[in-house]
Amino acid sequence: MGKTKKWTATALLGAAVLTAWPALPAATTHAASVQSQTYTGTVINSVNLRTAPSTSGRVITLLKAGEKLSSVTESNSYWYKVTTSSGLTGYASSSSEYIQVTPVSGSAPSSSAKTGEIVYGVNMRTEPSTSGRVIRMLKKGESVQIVSSNDYWYKIVTSSGENGYISSSSKYVEVTGSGNSNSGSGSNDSGGSSNNGNASDRDQLIQKVFEVGRSYLGTPYEFGSDRNTTRTFDCSDFTRTVYREATGIILPADSRQQGAWVKSNSTAVYDINSLKPGDLMFFMSYKGSTDAAYKGINKSTERITHVAIYMGNGQIMQTYSVKSGGVRIDNLTASWTRRFLYGGSVL
């Protein structure tokens, strides 16, 4: 696996070949999910209007910023069929970089339409990928309309008319409605909080965390590494990058802040034997190679100096020194166990 996501694609304005969106069953195709719902649109960045929903379609005209669209329907996950105020009809990129859509008041949504309530803060992005630009964070309690989905992302419209993509994990959004908008066989169709659905979602995400982490094995260590590159990592830069690429969750930049984040957003785990795969682990500084060196230490007052990812079965994924060889998978030895302060889930 490379160091960027391979299961999503970035929709670009008439300039790139698009990777296929995972197919949905016929009963839940994207076009069917919105054909009874009427939208209008506003062009927010100039975009080509084409004769077909493809970069091979002939360019009819350039839609300019501020131009109003009298009708917008979704042709597929990356293209809108639009009609301009002057009557021209064609296809334009559905990226929220270019067009903002708004449901027409009073128009009837299709029988498969779904709405969602945000139950945990989640980034809304311009594309169905963690490489998509973050538009803003949707807050707990916000309502959204779900236009379409794949196994990992919902395409949504907010109550204020913003459109973009959010994670389809039930951790972030509770879905209601009669349709089956998510094609993933492991999804929770009701959008509720069944334990099985949540466990399945979490397991899938944790596997992605491990896949992304393994793709960086051997990446050199550098203290205070540049957070804008993946050429080198220090411990917290590595955990931050892995979770950002695998789940879209943006952790703080250093280990102490990440520790505080876990305490604020999850449940701290102080018993090392109670950790779950994917949990972050926080450690204090090295005191010595024997149990006696740690005797009498009040761990509640110790400062976090290192963070790693617990993989289960007594293994951790981490990076901690140039000499160690950079990103690696280690056994949870007595040395690490003595230094352990607490851990906790990001998900």
Side-chain angles (χ1 to χ4, degrees):
M1 176 177 174
K3 298 183 182 178
T4 58
K5 303 305 296 175
K6 292 188 178 179
W7 43 269
T8 56
T10 302
L12 297 176
L13 166 63
V17 177
L18 301 177
T19 302
W21 181 276
L24 293 178
T28 58
T29 56
H30 297 311
S33 69
V34 297
Q35 64 183 2
S36 298
Q37 174 76 59
T38 304
Y39 293 84
T40 58
T42 302
V43 179
I44 55 178
N45 282 299
S46 296
V47 61
N48 284 329
L49 181 69
R50 294 179 178 271
T51 57
S54 166
T55 55
S56 61
R58 179 176 58 83
V59 175
I60 301 170
T61 189
L62 181 69
L63 303 178
K64 297 180 180 179
E67 192 167 345
K68 301 296 183 182
L69 305 174
S70 60
S71 175
V72 179
T73 58
E74 191 175 47
S75 175
N76 59 35
S77 296
Y78 295 108
W79 296 89
Y80 285 139
K81 184 176 182 180
V82 306
T83 301
T84 69
S85 56
S86 61
L88 287 175
T89 297
Y91 299 87
S93 168
S94 63
S95 169
S96 57
E97 293 277 12
Y98 304 113
I99 295 175
Q100 179 174 299
V101 299
T102 305
V104 174
S105 177
S107 63
S110 71
S111 60
S112 62
K114 284 193 173 189
T115 58
E117 180 179 344
I118 304 302
V119 294
Y120 194 93
V122 62
N123 286 327
M124 178 170 63
R125 297 178 179 272
T126 57
E127 311 293 346
S129 166
T130 54
S131 61
R133 179 178 61 82
V134 175
I135 301 168
R136 69 178 178 89
M137 176 174 279
L138 302 184
K139 298 179 180 179
K140 181 179 179 180
E142 287 193 59
S143 295
V144 299
Q145 180 177 347
I146 296 171
V147 177
S148 58
S149 68
N150 71 359
D151 286 337
Y152 306 106
W153 298 88
Y154 286 139
K155 184 170 187 177
I156 58 100
V157 179
T158 69
S159 57
S160 61
E162 301 166 294
N163 55 297
Y165 298 85
I166 62 172
S167 167
S168 61
S169 170
S170 57
K171 172 181 174 63
Y172 303 108
V173 58
E174 182 174 307
V175 180
T176 58
S178 58
N180 180 14
S181 171
N182 193 312
S183 65
S185 60
S187 65
N188 180 8
D189 290 343
S190 69
S193 57
S194 81
N195 290 333
N196 289 338
N198 284 338
S200 177
D201 288 342
R202 186 183 188 281
D203 289 346
Q204 290 179 19
L205 287 172
I206 292 304
Q207 289 309 308
K208 290 191 175 299
V209 167
F210 294 159
E211 288 173 10
V212 172
R214 288 189 184 98
S215 75
Y216 287 114
L217 289 175
T219 301
Y221 176 88
E222 180 186 16
F223 179 75
S225 56
D226 185 346
R227 266 53 179 166
N228 296 315
T229 78
T230 57
R231 293 191 297 268
T232 61
F233 293 119
D234 62 16
C235 64
S236 53
D237 187 15
F238 172 64
T239 54
R240 187 173 189 262
T241 297
V242 167
Y243 264 94
R244 183 184 71 243
E245 292 187 7
T247 71
I249 296 172
I250 309 292
L251 292 170
D254 69 57
S255 60
R256 285 180 289 281
Q257 291 174 346
Q258 289 178 13
W261 188 96
V262 165
K263 285 187 173 181
S264 297
N265 293 278
S266 185
T267 301
V269 177
Y270 295 92
D271 180 358
I272 200 167
N273 296 312
S274 298
L275 291 172
K276 301 185 300 294
D279 285 359
L280 291 182
M281 301 179 70
F282 301 98
F283 302 89
M284 64 180 172
S285 59
Y286 178 76
K287 308 291 186 182
S289 60
T290 65
D291 290 339
Y294 296 84
K295 188 176 182 179
I297 289 177
N298 182 358
K299 288 190 173 183
S300 66
T301 62
E302 285 293 311
R303 189 180 189 189
I304 293 171
T305 60
H306 181 62
V307 59
I309 300 172
Y310 184 60
M311 300 186 70
N313 298 318
Q315 290 189 313
I316 55 178
M317 187 180 293
Q318 62 181 345
T319 184
Y320 57 89
S321 72
V322 173
K323 186 178 179 180
S324 69
V327 177
R328 54 187 286 162
I329 296 173
D330 289 307
N331 291 323
L332 190 56
T333 61
S335 177
W336 290 113
T337 301
R338 294 184 189 107
R339 294 175 58 186
F340 177 73
L341 296 177
Y342 64 90
S345 174
V346 174
L347 303 176

